Amino acid sequence: MKFIVSSSALLKQLSSINGVVTNNPVVPILENFLFEINDSTLTITASDLETSMITQLSVEAKENGRIAAPAKILLETLKNLPDQPVTFTIDEETYTIEISSSNGRYKLSGENATDFPRVPVVQGASAIEIPSNVLGRAINKTIFAVSNDELRPAMTGIFVQLRSDNVTFVATDGHRLLRYRRTDISNNQEASLIIPRKAFMLLKSTLPSEATAVKVEFNQSNAFFSFDNIRMICRLIDERYPDYENVIPVQNPNKLVIDRQALLSSVKRISIYSNKTTHQIRLKLTGSEMQVSAEDLDFSNEANERLTCQYEGEDMEIGFNAKFLMEMLNNLDSDEITFELSTPNRAGLLMPIVNEENESVLMLVMPVMLNNYV
């Protein structure tokens, strides 16, 4: 089997799906890319059993064939070659791959393609189309709050809820919750699925910057994403997602409106003086003033700042994890934000004052208990 391909075109396609390949996979064959040639089209597959990514490109080839090629050495070789046509010659009996370029020849050993796991096919799937920029934004707005706790598998993915009038993306790690909702996308059939974090991370890095329609199909066990010449298949997390609607407090009489950047800058400075384990900062709200403070008793460090704000409600003191607060403020786009609170031991809601068209963003953060030693 022999084919000729542009080194830069091949490198671009391999790089787009290389994120799937893990360093020490369950099965050694997964350290390879699966190359399949059919009618001068090269189909390349990468898989880790949970997630598979497939891409295609045109090559010059007289015959069809399959081989598993080692991912790491192949990528390193192509990265260091100048852009030029390269010839792959494959011995299907010994699984030897020889790459010829104008610089020289490189020989590497492949593996039998029949050992590569089969990729699931779309069967009995429902479908929806989402613009790539919308999907990318939904992932960016939620992925940082996904849990790493393997004991609660449902929370290690992003919950996608399809309704007749909107699509909602939810992520939570038990300390904070993100709800991102779009009203310009809907699905006739109501459905919900939990997509693993890794799949969305891979998708985020490969989605085109220009608006492209991403076709999303899903059945009971898998989700299929396809756009341009890339397809991704991932196994869904088969768990029950926590009832997030119940967690969001409805009665929040204390409302604070503040400049997002001013609060973010203040929290960044004050957090330097907070306890390195708890990252606890304290917000004291009185009238049109907010005091942000932190102390680390182990090192006798303390800091406080005053910020002007619009606050309606009772005077209150509430503690938050500075790291969580900074991440959430960084992920809001609005110049001004609203912070809705009820009591110092109930969750607070962060929202932009102005939402982008067709979207709504809600962030929930749990408070930390204050030690009133000040």
Side-chain angles (χ1 to χ4, degrees):
M1 179 173 114
K2 196 173 183 178
F3 66 91
I4 301 167
V5 64
S6 151
S7 60
S8 59
L10 181 58
L11 176 63
K12 186 183 174 195
Q13 297 305 325
L14 292 181
S15 301
S16 66
I17 65 170
N18 181 50
V20 182
V21 182
T22 49
N23 288 333
N24 40 7
V26 189
V27 194
I29 188 83
L30 297 175
E31 289 178 318
N32 296 267
F33 290 121
L34 175 64
F35 279 24
E36 296 175 281
I37 289 187
N38 205 347
D39 299 336
S40 297
T41 299
L42 171 63
T43 303
I44 310 160
T45 307
S47 176
D48 68 356
L49 293 182
E50 296 287 324
T51 310
S52 303
M53 284 185 90
I54 302 157
T55 183
Q56 289 184 324
L57 74 161
S58 297
V59 295
E60 277 181 54
K62 297 268 195 308
E63 56 205 316
N64 298 340
R66 306 168 78 220
I67 185 84
K72 195 174 178 185
I73 190 167
L74 188 55
L75 272 168
E76 291 296 324
T77 308
L78 291 168
K79 274 179 192 168
N80 290 292
L81 274 178
D83 181 19
Q84 58 183 286
V86 289
T87 306
F88 280 72
T89 310
I90 291 141
D91 185 325
E92 293 191 53
E93 287 183 7
T94 60
Y95 311 120
T96 306
I97 303 165
E98 192 176 283
I99 306 168
S100 309
S101 72
S102 58
N103 301 64
R105 285 163 63 233
Y106 318 93
K107 209 170 185 180
L108 51 154
S109 54
E111 290 191 50
N112 189 344
T114 53
D115 296 336
F116 204 87
R118 287 176 67 96
V119 173
V121 288
V122 187
Q123 278 180 332
S126 308
I128 182 172
E129 275 201 357
I130 304 177
S132 58
N133 54 336
V134 171
L135 185 56
R137 192 168 163 80
I139 296 170
N140 279 331
K141 288 273 176 241
T142 50
I143 198 125
F144 71 92
V146 173
S147 172
N148 295 318
D149 185 358
E150 297 299 331
L151 296 174
R152 295 192 282 184
M155 286 156 65
T156 61
I158 292 177
F159 182 61
V160 182
Q161 199 170 31
L162 304 164
R163 290 186 176 143
S164 56
D165 56 350
N166 65 54
V167 172
T168 305
F169 297 79
V170 182
T172 183
D173 60 4
H175 303 288
R176 60 216 162 142
L177 180 141
L178 267 286
R179 188 189 74 193
Y180 179 81
R181 184 166 281 166
R182 294 290 301 203
T183 53
D184 53 348
I185 306 162
S186 57
N187 196 43
N188 300 335
Q189 284 179 297
E190 293 211 351
S192 56
L193 38 151
I194 308 173
I195 294 178
R197 179 201 188 119
K198 180 178 177 177
F200 264 157
M201 287 293 275
L202 289 166
L203 206 55
K204 181 181 148 186
S205 59
T206 46
L207 282 171
S209 48
E210 61 282 351
T212 308
V214 179
K215 189 177 184 187
V216 185
E217 296 168 277
F218 54 93
N219 54 25
Q220 288 298 110
S221 48
N222 295 293
F224 307 84
F225 298 85
S226 47
F227 55 93
D228 293 348
N229 57 353
I230 288 182
R231 282 181 294 146
M232 185 179 93
I233 300 105
C234 70
R235 192 176 295 166
L236 299 175
I237 297 174
D238 186 15
E239 294 282 334
R240 188 191 165 96
Y241 203 76
D243 184 357
Y244 72 90
E245 295 283 9
N246 264 346
V247 182
I248 300 168
V250 184
Q251 298 294 325
N252 301 297
N254 305 315
K255 289 183 172 54
L256 161 76
V257 175
I258 193 163
D259 182 279
R260 181 184 69 87
Q261 198 54 55
L263 178 58
L264 177 58
S265 303
S266 180
V267 172
K268 276 182 180 171
R269 290 189 293 269
I270 296 294
S271 67
I272 299 165
Y273 294 84
S274 67
N275 181 293
K276 295 296 167 275
T277 313
T278 62
H279 305 285
Q280 179 184 299
I281 61 161
R282 179 188 299 256
L283 306 183
K284 191 175 183 180
L285 296 157
T286 47
S288 61
E289 188 178 86
M290 175 161 81
Q291 201 170 335
V292 186
S293 62
E295 60 273 302
D296 185 350
L297 294 182
D298 299 342
F299 297 97
S300 302
N301 296 337
E302 60 176 280
N304 67 70
E305 289 188 12
R306 290 177 194 280
L307 297 172
T308 52
C309 61
Q310 293 164 260
Y311 178 62
E312 291 172 24
E314 295 175 13
D315 290 2
M316 78 186 285
E317 230 176 300
I318 188 165
F320 288 108
N321 179 316
K323 261 174 66 180
F324 293 163
L325 209 50
M326 285 190 288
E327 273 186 323
M328 294 168 99
L329 290 168
N330 266 323
N331 267 276
L332 285 166
D333 305 325
S334 168
D335 292 338
E336 283 195 314
I337 54 149
T338 172
F339 213 147
E340 296 189 0
L341 305 159
S342 53
T343 59
N345 59 355
R346 301 274 318 268
L349 299 182
L350 266 172
M351 286 167 284
I353 290 279
V354 181
N355 274 302
E356 298 271 322
E357 195 180 356
N358 298 318
E359 77 169 26
S360 103
V361 181
L362 180 140
M363 303 188 171
L364 175 148
V365 59
M366 296 302 291
V368 289
M369 297 309 288
L370 290 170
N371 303 331
N372 284 314
Y373 40 64
V374 176

